[in-house]
């Protein structure tokens, strides 16, 4: 169905949503595997290799590998990096936060999810940012129901993270539809007005992904052509779920439950947020 001249939204039937749930399940399990072993001294490239191997062992494919030329299987962004960090030889340190953003392609459909981890002794103001960003994600998900508009999601996220908490909500990067393609219409901003944007109908599947900065909302693009960082070099946090729009209540296809349990059980991670 077309909204306007340039937007084409592909709705999924129940069978397709179940296939996407399987993709999301593999993805969530991959992030749980990361949560079990993440620690100081581990390089972001080692994390990428772990995720790549895990996904392929499940008979799936990492969505990001070679996507538009991206060289790795995960986007791993540390501290002031917002998104699209390229895994490399950087060894994680006590006090770092690290966002691991992963896509999985299985049975013809993609899923997309991200989780930010705190390594060891992370400053309380950064832990508070993590709390607020994760809460903003769920505030957005609450609005992902048939009959609402995309702007209702955007407004809920911005209201919680920016207007109530005073953080910087990134404008240049947004969530998106997904399905047979990794990026589909509509775009799902993390800021905006209630009642604006395309109306959502049952069967729309979207990636909702607030990217929230401790300081200013402004970002800068790094010389590698991929990494986006905060302009003021303050930390940024990123959480993301794959969500199916339904009547009455959204159906969250990805899950943080196993990730959070592993996070609490890993003494190298700080789950006190």
């Amino acid at each position: 169905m077309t909204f306007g001249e340039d937007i084409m939204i592909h709705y999924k039937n129940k069978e397709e949503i179940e296939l996407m749930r399987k993709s999301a399940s593999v993805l969530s399990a991959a992030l749980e595997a990361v949560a079990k072993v993440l620690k100081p001294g581990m390089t972001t490239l080692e994390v990428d290799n772990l995720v790549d191997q895990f996904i392929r062992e499940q008979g799936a494919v990492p969505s990001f590998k070679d996507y538009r030329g991206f060289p790795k299987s995960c986007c791993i962004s540390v501290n002031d990096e917002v998104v699209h960090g390229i895994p490399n030889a950087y060894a994680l340190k006590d006090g770092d936060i690290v966002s691991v953003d992963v896509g999985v392609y299985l049975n013809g459909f993609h899923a997309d999810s991200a989780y930010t981890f705190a390594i060891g002794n992370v400053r309380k103001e950064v832990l508070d940012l993590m709390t607020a960003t994760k809460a903003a994600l769920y505030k957005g998900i609450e609005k992902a129901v048939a009959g609402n508009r995309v702007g209702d999601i955007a407004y809920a996220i911005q209201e919680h993270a920016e207007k109530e908490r005073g953080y910087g909500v990134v404008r240049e990067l947004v969530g998106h539809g997904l399905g047979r393609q990794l990026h589909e219409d509509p775009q799902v901003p993390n800021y905006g007005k209630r009642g604006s944007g395309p109306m959502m109908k049952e069967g729309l599947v979207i990636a909702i992904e607030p990217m929230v900065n401790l300081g200013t909302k402004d970002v800068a693009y790094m010389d590698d052509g991929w990494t986006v960082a905060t302009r003021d070099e303050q930390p940024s946090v990123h959480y993301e779920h794959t969500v199916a729009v339904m009547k009455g209540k959204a159906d969250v296809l990805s899950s943080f439950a196993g990730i959070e349990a592993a996070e609490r059980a890993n003494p190298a991670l700080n789950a006190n947020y």
Side-chain angles (χ1 to χ4, degrees), residues 13-25:
N13 61 35
K14 290 181 179 179
E15 292 76 16
E16 290 171 328
I17 289 172
E18 289 311 308
L19 290 174
M20 294 190 72
R21 195 187 309 277
K22 291 179 181 178
S23 301
S25 177

Side-chain angles (χ1 to χ4, degrees), residues 229-249:
T230 59
R231 190 168 291 279
D232 62 4
E233 300 183 347
Q234 291 292 305
S236 183
V237 171
H238 178 211
Y239 291 100
E240 178 181 17
H241 269 314
T242 293
V243 179
V245 173
M246 294 291 169
K247 295 177 181 177
K249 184 178 181 181

Side-chain angles (χ1 to χ4, degrees), residues 43 55 143 158 174 198 225 228 256 258 271:
T43 69
I55 291 171
K143 301 300 181 181
Q158 184 181 18
V174 298
V228 182
F256 287 165

Side-chain angles (χ1 to χ4, degrees), residues 186-199:
Q187 291 191 346
V188 185
N190 297 305
Y191 67 98
K193 296 180 180 179
R194 283 182 293 197
S196 66
M199 181 174 288

Side-chain angles (χ1 to χ4, degrees), residues 129-147:
L129 174 64
M130 293 171 67
T131 299
T133 305
K134 189 185 284 187
L137 169 61
Y138 287 106
K139 293 283 187 182
I141 289 170
E142 288 176 3
K143 301 300 181 181
V145 295

Side-chain angles (χ1 to χ4, degrees), residues 41-248:
M42 191 173 188
T43 69
T44 58
L45 184 58
E46 287 173 332
V47 175
D48 185 76
N49 289 337
L50 182 157
V51 171
D52 183 276
Q53 181 178 349
F54 184 95
I55 291 171
R56 294 182 191 279
E57 285 176 350
Q58 314 310 310
V61 176
S63 300
F64 298 171
K65 188 68 177 288
D66 299 323
Y67 179 74
R68 296 179 180 172
F70 188 78
K72 300 297 179 183
S73 296
C74 306
C75 295
I76 303 182
S77 308
V78 181
N79 296 330
D80 65 329
E81 296 173 349
V82 180
V83 286
H84 302 163
I86 301 173
N88 55 36
Y90 177 80
L92 295 166
K93 302 191 301 291
D94 182 80
D96 284 345
I97 59 169
V98 54
S99 166
V100 183
D101 187 358
V102 183
V104 164
Y105 183 70
L106 179 66
N107 297 322
F109 288 92
H110 294 272
D112 195 356
S113 184
Y115 197 91
T116 298
F117 299 96
I119 310 293
N121 187 29
V122 172
R123 303 190 332 256
K124 184 180 184 302
E125 63 178 347
V126 180
L127 295 174
D128 289 345
L129 174 64
M130 293 171 67
T131 299
T133 305
K134 189 185 284 187
L137 169 61
Y138 287 106
K139 293 283 187 182
I141 289 170
E142 288 176 3
K143 301 300 181 181
V145 295
N148 280 352
R149 292 185 178 272
V150 169
D152 297 325
I153 297 173
Y155 177 86
I157 291 170
Q158 184 181 18
E159 181 75 10
H160 184 80
E162 191 169 88
K163 295 182 180 177
E164 294 181 10
R165 304 303 170 94
Y167 298 126
V169 173
V170 174
R171 299 324 198 244
E172 288 85 351
L173 302 144
V174 298
H176 51 92
L178 75 167
R180 293 190 182 276
Q181 303 297 321
L182 180 58
H183 290 95
E184 298 181 356
D185 288 329
Q187 291 191 346
V188 185
N190 297 305
Y191 67 98
K193 296 180 180 179
R194 283 182 293 197
S196 66
M199 181 174 288
M200 296 178 287
K201 296 184 178 181
E202 194 167 19
L204 172 64
V205 181
I206 53 178
I208 302 177
E209 51 176 321
M211 291 153 273
V212 183
N213 303 340
L214 184 62
T216 176
K217 67 182 185 299
D218 298 328
V219 298
Y221 292 80
M222 301 294 99
D223 291 341
D224 62 16
W226 285 100
T227 308
V228 182
T230 59
R231 190 168 291 279
D232 62 4
E233 300 183 347
Q234 291 292 305
S236 183
V237 171
H238 178 211
Y239 291 100
E240 178 181 17
H241 269 314
T242 293
V243 179
V245 173
M246 294 291 169
K247 295 177 181 177

